[in-house]
Amino acid sequence: MATSNAPAPLSRMTGWIPYAGLLVLFWGVWGAFSSLPTKWYGYPDPMVYVVWALTMILPAWISLRGKRFDRGRVAAGYGLLIGLTGAGGQLLLFKALTIGPAYIIFPIIALSPAITVLLAFGALRERLGALSWTGVVLALAAVVLFSVSPGDGGDAGWLYLVLAVLVCVAWGVQAFFMRKAAVAGVADETTFGWMTISGLLLIPVAIVMMGGLPLDFPWQAPALTAVTQLLNAVGALFLVMAMSRGKASIVAPVTNALAPVLTIVLSLVVFGASPTGFQLAGIVLALVGSTLMVYRSEKSAEAEGVDVARAD
């Protein structure tokens, strides 16, 4: 039977772009303004986490509508592991954003692919190409540059840098298990559903950290928190939609690089911050390094998918 070599329709090739653009917009704005409820109203960062966990319900419901939610042991195991590392990272992130600048924190977090790459190398014995190793080296150089010029955390000193690195590690581990879950056949919408459940499970931990629910804040504090965190939650849904419509090796590097760039630009323009030369160099190296690693990782994942399809 003859096969057609005709190119895919343009709509299929570019259908991911609107969703990726919305993701960059939503996550970029969220990153820049997420700390405002705490800075303006003194709203506790654990309470910001509580609101974020609740906002995840909406995109989870949309993504699962009309689809089967897998409650099996494999899906639940991977889903809870992915969700708890992601939600734990969010809990630390909100604390970091209250004491440090977003234009430094988000480039550090963008280095999480380095953790994923190194885990794949150590645990799965995956071979790493030149792009992956180049990205890892640039990531290490970026961390060194950030560490020699902390100076923006006020009395907190190095704490926000430590928290940002912990978030980076948590989300790198999360991405590693996301990949394993996909290989195991767990659907994206199921993973997203378990991520939402995991976020809700950690709400009691956040409440204990606060010593109870705070009731003495003006309505503007939870309202502003809900708006900014809804940007975060819906942005995650746009990521799922973009990934389902385009090649991951294109979508992931674009979104991984551009969302932090928008956060950095908005933070510098709106809040009038001025990074040091070391910090600026670290930002550039972090974004370039993370983009290289994400591209190489997703390209390898797509190649594995083709091999599996041929074997079947």
Side-chain angles (χ1 to χ4, degrees), residues 81-94:
L81 186 57
I82 292 166
L84 291 174
T85 50
Q90 289 281 1
L91 196 56
L92 295 176
L93 171 62
F94 297 138

Side-chain angles (χ1 to χ4, degrees), residues 41-239:
Y41 304 105
Y43 208 47
D45 51 269
M47 196 62 206
V48 176
Y49 172 86
V50 171
V51 175
W52 164 78
L54 294 174
T55 61
M56 285 287 287
I57 295 174
L58 175 61
W61 175 76
I62 293 174
S63 65
L64 283 166
R65 188 173 53 180
K67 298 179 180 177
R68 175 178 173 270
F69 179 60
D70 190 348
R71 299 178 179 83
R73 289 177 57 184
V74 173
Y78 277 123
L80 289 173
L81 186 57
I82 292 166
L84 291 174
T85 50
Q90 289 281 1
L91 196 56
L92 295 176
L93 171 62
F94 297 138
K95 178 62 177 179
L97 287 172
T98 65
I99 57 178
Y103 66 85
I104 296 297
I105 292 170
F106 279 94
I108 293 176
I109 294 172
L111 296 174
S112 61
I115 306 300
T116 307
V117 165
L118 293 175
L119 280 173
F121 177 71
L124 303 180
R125 296 293 187 265
E126 289 189 4
R127 295 178 59 186
L128 302 184
L131 285 181
S132 295
W133 284 119
T134 301
V136 170
V137 171
L138 292 179
L140 293 174
V143 171
V144 171
L145 289 172
F146 287 133
S147 66
V148 298
S149 182
D152 291 301
D155 295 335
W158 295 80
L159 180 57
Y160 80 92
L161 286 176
V162 173
L163 291 175
V165 170
L166 290 175
V167 176
C168 173
V169 172
W171 287 0
V173 172
Q174 179 193 43
F176 173 75
F177 284 106
M178 274 186 175
R179 182 172 176 181
K180 293 196 69 175
V183 172
V186 181
D188 290 342
E189 58 270 11
T190 289
T191 298
F192 197 90
W194 283 111
M195 288 169 62
T196 302
I197 292 172
S198 302
L200 296 173
L201 288 175
L202 287 185
I203 285 180
V205 176
I207 294 175
V208 169
M209 290 172 61
M210 293 182 291
L213 286 172
L215 302 175
D216 54 347
F217 287 93
W219 66 267
Q220 291 92 338
L224 181 58
T225 302
V227 170
T228 54
Q229 296 312 316
L230 190 59
L231 292 175
N232 181 6
V234 176
L237 178 60
F238 285 138
L239 176 60

